[in-house]
Amino acid sequence: MAETTTIEWTRNDDGTPGRTWNPVTGCTKISAGCDNCYAETIAERFRGHAAFPKGFDVQIRTTKVNDPLTWRKPTRIFVNSMSDLFHNEVDQHWIADIFAVMAAARRHTFQLLTKRHARMRSLLNDPVWIDEVRTRATGKGLPADQWQWPLPNLWLGVSVENQQWADIRVPALAQTPAAVRFLSCEPLLGPVDVSEWLGDTDSDEPGMYRDGIHWVITGGESGRKARPAHPDWFRSIRDQCAAAGVAYFHKQNGEWTSRDAVDAEAKASAWDEKRVLYVHPADGRTQTHGQWGINDHLEGWACVQRVGKKNAGRELEGRTHDAFPATA
Ligand code: SF4
């Protein structure tokens, strides 16, 4: 498993690549965003090999747990790119140990993303579990007077692929103590309105942190079976972040690009009806060109073309969006 990563949102401020850290590997699918999970594809491809002896079965990598304590140069670290730390097969004492490493390795900034929002919220609000993290952290070298909760160097995020999961996971994140809370809307599979959670909120719900969500990442799906996104979905989230003054990062368009974005020269050579789909703005369903009936109308549907992840690029209406949270 490579430990440096090309993931754009893990990049350091000086432009150098960040790292991944996988003290746990393996997972099970939980929602539509998991359908084409890249971690599963890689782990199952190498099942039985040294890197993934048990494929995508959930496994604690005991020899990896303390790795960040040995990395001298401060860096951003994406935690568990090959798993979900809050999976129910990961013992909570191991999760406490992994949090203790993050507490003790204060020079690094950790980015932890989950689809298991409920277990995350429950553990991170549990005083007994938090005390276990503190005890383990001091055991790993953190001076007792430097203990802080929430961990100042941990950015905590939930995945949001559509409105259904936004409505469930985002409030759970807003009820979880974290120095930075972020959303990863990738792969984005439908329109999402998260405006009520962005930045300072006036929610009266019990347990809600009023500083809300600090950072949003969007991205289209990549890979062989990638589903296309409607460009309006990205634009809408970009605009919601701008209105709330929240940092916005557009990671990639995915394998597809809207026909408007294919420049004139490429259109002439690369336009290929077999690679074209129409994407519905409200629910993401797709149709091929041949499926259009004579009475169908195109209003609101996006015409997208499969051009490959590299060609689809990272631009949204002619510019990139690379903001990191202000508290970083
Ligand atoms: S939660 Fe993440 S790692 Fe687990 S199956 Fe879904 S996409 Fe893959």
Side-chain angles (χ1 to χ4, degrees):
M1 272 173 280
E3 281 169 346
T4 56
T5 175
T6 54
I7 295 172
E8 291 82 355
W9 51 266
T10 301
R11 204 181 54 227
N12 293 305
D13 286 338
D14 64 4
T16 57
R19 306 183 77 137
T20 54
W21 170 44
N22 282 289
V24 180
T25 56
C27 193
T28 46
K29 294 179 177 180
I30 194 167
S31 63
C34 299
D35 285 358
N36 301 320
C37 173
Y38 72 92
E40 179 189 35
T41 307
I42 294 169
E44 286 302 322
R45 186 184 304 151
F46 294 103
R47 179 179 279 273
H49 290 64
F52 294 99
K54 295 186 180 172
F56 203 45
D57 300 352
V58 176
Q59 232 193 316
I60 310 291
R61 303 301 188 111
T62 50
T63 59
K64 300 269 178 197
V65 168
N66 290 316
D67 279 3
L69 296 169
T70 68
W71 298 337
R72 306 304 337 157
K73 186 177 167 238
T75 189
R76 287 196 178 123
I77 299 172
F78 178 22
V79 183
N80 272 5
S81 60
M82 299 296 291
S83 180
D84 187 330
L85 184 61
F86 295 104
H87 192 285
N88 59 10
E89 288 177 40
V90 184
D91 184 282
Q92 70 174 52
H93 302 296
W94 272 116
I95 303 177
D97 210 59
I98 289 161
F99 266 70
V101 171
M102 296 192 277
R106 284 167 66 102
R107 58 191 169 280
H108 304 310
T109 300
F110 295 88
Q111 300 168 322
L112 175 52
L113 185 60
T114 187
K115 289 187 175 76
R116 270 81 179 179
H117 54 278
R119 193 170 186 217
M120 170 193 71
R121 174 179 54 193
S122 155
L123 282 178
L124 272 69
N125 283 298
D126 176 352
V128 176
W129 184 82
I130 295 167
D131 205 48
E132 181 179 347
V133 175
R134 185 187 57 75
T135 306
R136 287 175 182 262
T138 48
K140 289 177 189 291
L142 178 74
D145 62 354
Q146 288 186 23
W147 165 253
Q148 273 178 276
W149 187 260
L151 303 184
N153 58 332
L154 171 60
W155 302 2
L156 207 57
V158 293
S159 301
V160 168
E161 64 263 55
N162 55 28
Q163 191 67 49
Q164 177 202 351
W165 286 105
D167 291 343
I168 296 169
R169 292 188 185 130
V170 183
L173 179 62
Q175 290 171 328
T176 304
V180 168
R181 293 184 203 86
F182 71 96
L183 309 181
S184 171
C185 304
E186 186 200 2
L188 191 57
L189 302 177
V192 167
D193 182 352
V194 285
S195 51
E196 73 171 294
W197 306 107
L198 298 181
D200 293 340
T201 70
D202 51 10
S203 170
D204 289 330
E205 279 191 56
M208 209 60 84
Y209 287 89
R210 285 177 172 243
D211 53 341
I213 305 303
H214 306 101
W215 189 36
V216 181
I217 301 160
T218 55
E221 193 164 39
S222 50
R224 203 166 52 84
K225 297 182 184 165
R227 294 157 283 187
H230 194 298
D232 281 356
W233 303 340
F234 299 137
R235 290 180 198 130
S236 165
I237 295 176
R238 173 199 64 192
D239 295 346
Q240 291 169 48
C241 289
V246 161
Y248 173 63
F249 195 106
H250 184 56
K251 182 187 166 211
Q252 62 181 36
N253 289 316
E255 301 287 337
W256 302 78
T257 191
S258 78
R259 191 179 173 188
D260 297 346
V262 181
D263 66 38
E265 195 184 336
K267 255 183 207 163
S269 58
W271 182 245
D272 176 352
E273 259 180 30
K274 291 196 201 84
R275 293 171 182 238
V276 165
L277 283 177
Y278 296 89
V279 186
H280 193 274
D283 57 24
R285 70 182 185 274
T286 56
Q287 289 203 161
T288 63
H289 194 72
Q291 286 170 325
W292 283 101
I294 195 154
N295 294 320
D296 288 341
H297 60 88
L298 271 167
E299 198 178 339
W301 290 69
C303 181
V304 296
Q305 182 176 348
R306 186 166 188 130
V307 294
K309 178 180 152 180
K310 194 160 166 249
N311 290 330
R314 302 187 51 231
E315 287 194 358
L316 202 52
E317 295 187 318
R319 59 156 292 198
T320 54
H321 296 269
D322 293 312
F324 282 87
T327 45

